[in-house]
Amino acid sequence: MVTRDERADGGARGERHPADLQAFAVQLRRMNGEVNRLVHGFATSQGLHPTDVQALAAILDATEPMTPGRLREHLGLTSGAVTACVDRLERAGHIRRSRESADRRVVHLHYAEGARGAARAFFQPLARATEAARERFAPEELAVALRFLTVLNEELGAEGVPRR
């Protein structure tokens, strides 16, 4: 965790650059806390675990078909934990499994169309807040912010942070 004495710009103690590392750390923690509050609320309302919501997001955001093995790697869970997670999501109607490959052992996980409505309804406050915040910035500023978040996520992914 970054403290007030750790400055990305090497500034002297007590000096604050408006974009110093500590300022970013505080705002990222605040945003993470707010998103986690929404995720936990959604999980509770659906009878799920917060990790199940992380799995849903991974399935929704996947650029290629998600498999239980890829989901296990993404979430850093054991095979048994992923099986339990996928079973809960399927029972709750959030995902469906399919065998679309020539290799019938390969299972693909898909976000169920009918489940999108529940998620959309629950996460409307996040969508409204995001749109309200976006309206306060020029397109060029938003492009920089999006690029920063993209690069930050790439850096975090490359760090090899220990998984559960």
Side-chain angles (χ1 to χ4, degrees):
M1 198 171 286
V2 178
T3 66
R4 289 191 172 145
D5 296 334
E6 294 172 325
R7 303 281 182 247
D9 61 359
R13 195 175 177 153
E15 291 179 24
R16 284 218 43 188
H17 184 276
D20 71 3
L21 184 57
Q22 198 263 340
F24 272 97
V26 167
Q27 294 306 317
L28 288 169
R29 281 192 299 269
R30 284 187 63 200
M31 184 179 73
N32 186 56
E34 292 300 324
V35 170
N36 279 340
R37 183 177 56 79
L38 285 168
V39 165
H40 282 86
F42 180 72
T44 299
S45 76
Q46 299 295 305
L48 301 173
H49 187 277
T51 301
D52 300 342
V53 181
Q54 288 180 313
L56 276 175
I59 293 166
L60 181 64
D61 296 341
T63 57
E64 57 188 78
M66 182 62 76
T67 64
R70 286 187 55 231
L71 188 60
R72 181 185 58 75
E73 289 173 13
H74 179 79
L75 297 175
L77 299 175
T78 65
S79 295
V82 166
T83 298
C85 173
V86 168
D87 287 347
R88 281 190 302 271
L89 290 171
E90 189 174 42
R91 270 193 312 273
H94 288 281
I95 66 166
R96 64 179 177 78
R97 299 177 200 198
S98 69
R99 287 182 165 72
E100 299 171 4
S101 157
D103 183 347
R104 301 290 294 157
R105 295 172 295 178
V106 176
V107 174
H108 291 160
L109 306 173
H110 304 277
Y111 203 100
E113 284 301 319
R116 291 178 192 266
R120 276 194 192 106
F122 197 91
F123 288 101
Q124 274 301 308
L126 177 59
R128 283 191 303 269
T130 301
E131 191 54 33
R134 288 180 68 231
E135 288 173 356
R136 296 167 65 179
F137 292 88
E140 301 79 25
E141 292 174 302
L142 291 171
V144 171
L146 186 57
R147 191 176 57 145
F148 170 77
L149 291 171
T150 300
V151 170
L152 178 59
N153 284 324
E154 289 169 355
E155 290 292 331
L156 286 170
E159 277 295 314
V161 177
R163 303 273 189 181
R164 290 176 263 185

